[in-house]
Amino acid sequence: MSEPSGGDKGPEIRERTEPFVRALDEVPDVGDAVKEDPLLQDDLSEGAVPLTDRLRNRRTQASIIVPIIVLILFAVALPGFELDTLVGHVLGADPWWLLAAFVIYYLGFPLRGYRWSLLLRGIGAKVGVRDSTEIIFVSWLVNSVVPAKLGEVYRAWLLKVNYPVSLSATFGTIFIERMFDIFAIVILGLGAAFWSFRTGLDETVRLIMLLGIVVVVIIAIGLFSLRNFGRRLVERLPLPERAKGLYERFEEGVFSTDRRTLPMVAMLTLLIWTTEALRLLFVTYALDFEISLGISGAFFVALVASLLTAVPFTPAGLGIVEAGIVGLLTVVYQADPNEAAAIALVDRAISVLSVIVLGFIAYLLSPKTKGGRPTASNDDADAPGAGDAEEDGSVEQEATTA
């Protein structure tokens, strides 16, 4: 007889997820072990993400080399592009405006660190601004050299091995942080576009704005569904209890932000993206091009470029972001291709190349990349998730082999 449609697939799902549960059971409780046994520091240092090994990986190398080749071909194909002119523009940049762009960009990191520390308080983690900023900066190094946004995984793992927190809840704070960013990018981008093109919207700009609105609506619906139906849906699925526990702590991290801190989080998000726009604006000042960009145009281009970094195929959106900046400047702002390419090149040198150089130094010097002992006080030992490493261990293993 044939099986009736809609038969019970619970045993099949449980059978497929059983290896995942066994893997979780085999992972030691790293969070508590670090806190109680300093001899485990050497083991944790061996477990840190081996960036040098990752860079030797052929897939990682391909994700860097191929976009560079495509970017070169794209630049050569631009009408009127001249390499000598591009080099001359870059070498003739005003060093003081470049310094201003560099400084304003790096002011964004402590702002990001402060914002994350506020979000982490919701899950009971008392992390100082200096420590959260350091972890974020090192994670940006990973995002700059490894595709698929693995820097976010590494960020959560770094916090886990230095503080007694739940990895799932930490992912929740990073997730909601990114939602704040996307909302801010779209809202600020829409405002900048309306102001910059108040005399008439270009078709390209209309398309970008429409895409931004669609993204915000989808995210809003997703968060509403997650908040109101997520846990009930997970409870009804035939999943192992530990898998349900992982989801519960993730949801806790997403929605645990104290409402009293939301205005500060929103203000910090606004300031963070202002630093991104000012960096681009100062770069145009340094190159002294006659482009009618202005602060509203700088916001629009910088925010669109930031959205393109989310494309997971290349590290930091390499090749995609540069093409996007050049395309916007030439199509929308009628910039000369050589000038647009110079702006993109210098801007990305500050936002990516400098992070690779300084981030690698921070990676080598920071005790946190070696699994330093938790700096939380004894009162924090009972924070939510302090004993959850056993259930989060599979993600730790993924981070250590990323």
Side-chain angles (χ1 to χ4, degrees):
M1 296 178 60
S2 60
E3 293 184 5
S5 59
D8 183 13
K9 295 185 178 181
E12 180 183 350
I13 296 177
R14 281 191 289 270
E15 181 180 352
R16 291 183 179 180
T17 56
E18 189 61 30
F20 170 74
V21 177
R22 286 200 301 268
L24 294 177
D25 289 334
E26 294 171 359
V27 178
D29 192 338
V30 178
D32 289 340
V34 173
K35 179 173 60 180
E36 297 172 2
D37 189 355
L39 294 178
L40 290 178
Q41 302 305 313
D42 291 339
D43 294 335
L44 285 173
S45 66
E46 295 177 359
V49 174
L51 288 180
T52 53
D53 291 345
R54 182 68 183 182
L55 289 175
R56 296 191 189 100
N57 184 281
R58 290 184 178 180
R59 286 182 297 178
T60 302
Q61 293 171 354
S63 69
I64 297 173
I65 295 173
V66 172
I68 292 177
I69 295 175
V70 173
L71 188 62
I72 293 174
L73 295 176
F74 172 78
V76 172
L78 284 174
F81 176 79
E82 298 177 359
L83 182 60
D84 293 341
T85 303
L86 171 64
V87 173
H89 286 324
V90 173
L91 295 179
D94 187 330
W96 291 108
W97 277 117
L98 290 180
L99 178 62
F102 180 87
V103 171
I104 197 67
Y105 175 63
Y106 276 87
L107 282 177
F109 283 102
L111 294 176
R112 293 177 186 274
Y114 183 31
R115 181 181 63 172
W116 193 35
S117 69
L118 291 178
L119 296 176
L120 288 172
R121 291 178 189 177
I123 63 172
K126 298 179 181 178
V127 182
V129 176
R130 178 179 177 181
D131 288 345
S132 59
T133 302
E134 183 179 338
I135 291 174
I136 287 176
F137 187 55
V138 175
S139 73
W140 275 47
L141 164 67
V142 179
N143 276 336
S144 297
V145 297
V146 179
K149 284 290 184 180
L150 286 179
E152 308 303 347
V153 177
Y154 187 52
R155 194 211 306 193
W157 183 80
L158 273 185
L159 187 73
K160 176 65 183 174
V161 298
N162 287 280
Y163 287 85
V165 296
S166 164
L167 196 64
S168 301
T170 302
F171 274 126
T173 65
I174 296 175
F175 175 81
I176 196 63
E177 175 193 275
R178 288 308 184 191
M179 295 304 101
F180 274 112
D181 283 336
I182 292 177
F183 274 107
I185 288 173
V186 173
I187 293 172
L188 291 173
L190 288 174
F194 275 118
W195 182 258
S196 184
F197 305 102
R198 54 192 179 276
T199 57
L201 289 175
D202 184 272
E203 284 300 320
T204 304
V205 177
R206 290 177 185 270
L207 179 61
I208 294 173
M209 293 173 64
L210 179 61
L211 180 61
I213 293 174
V214 170
V215 169
V216 166
V217 171
I218 292 175
I219 290 175
I221 294 174
L223 288 175
F224 177 81
S225 302
L226 185 69
R227 184 72 178 92
N228 293 278
F229 310 111
R231 188 166 300 188
R232 281 183 284 179
L233 177 62
V234 169
E235 286 295 332
R236 292 181 179 180
L237 293 175
L239 298 173
E241 289 302 318
R242 283 193 175 87
K244 295 178 180 179
L246 292 175
Y247 172 80
E248 288 178 2
R249 284 189 294 279
F250 171 78
E251 185 179 309
E252 174 194 354
V254 173
F255 298 108
S256 62
T257 307
D258 189 339
R259 292 183 179 180
R260 293 172 295 181
T261 65
L262 285 178
M264 178 58 71
V265 171
M267 179 61 68
L268 289 169
T269 303
L270 173 62
L271 292 175
I272 287 167
W273 292 106
T274 299
T275 64
E276 295 278 336
L278 289 177
R279 181 199 70 230
L280 180 64
L281 183 64
F282 291 167
V283 166
T284 62
Y285 288 167
L287 294 169
D288 195 25
F289 295 146
E290 295 181 1
I291 299 177
S292 57
L293 198 61
I295 185 63
S296 60
F299 260 105
F300 182 70
V301 176
L303 295 176
V304 172
S306 296
L307 278 179
L308 292 175
T309 62
V311 178
F313 304 125
T314 64
L318 181 64
I320 301 171
V321 174
E322 292 81 3
I325 293 175
V326 172
L328 279 176
L329 292 177
T330 54
V331 174
V332 178
Y333 293 92
Q334 306 302 314
D336 177 80
N338 297 291
E339 296 181 353
I343 292 173
L345 184 63
V346 174
D347 183 69
R348 295 286 279 172
I350 295 174
S351 62
V352 178
L353 185 59
S354 71
V355 170
I356 294 176
V357 174
L358 299 179
F360 189 67
I361 296 174
Y363 172 80
L364 294 176
L365 298 180
S366 174
K368 292 177 178 57
T369 60
K370 303 171 180 62
R373 297 184 65 182
T375 55
S377 64
N378 292 333
D379 294 338
D380 298 331
D382 296 327
D388 293 335
E390 188 171 304
E391 297 184 6
D392 292 333
S394 62
V395 186
E396 289 180 30
Q397 289 180 330
E398 179 184 347
T400 57
T401 57

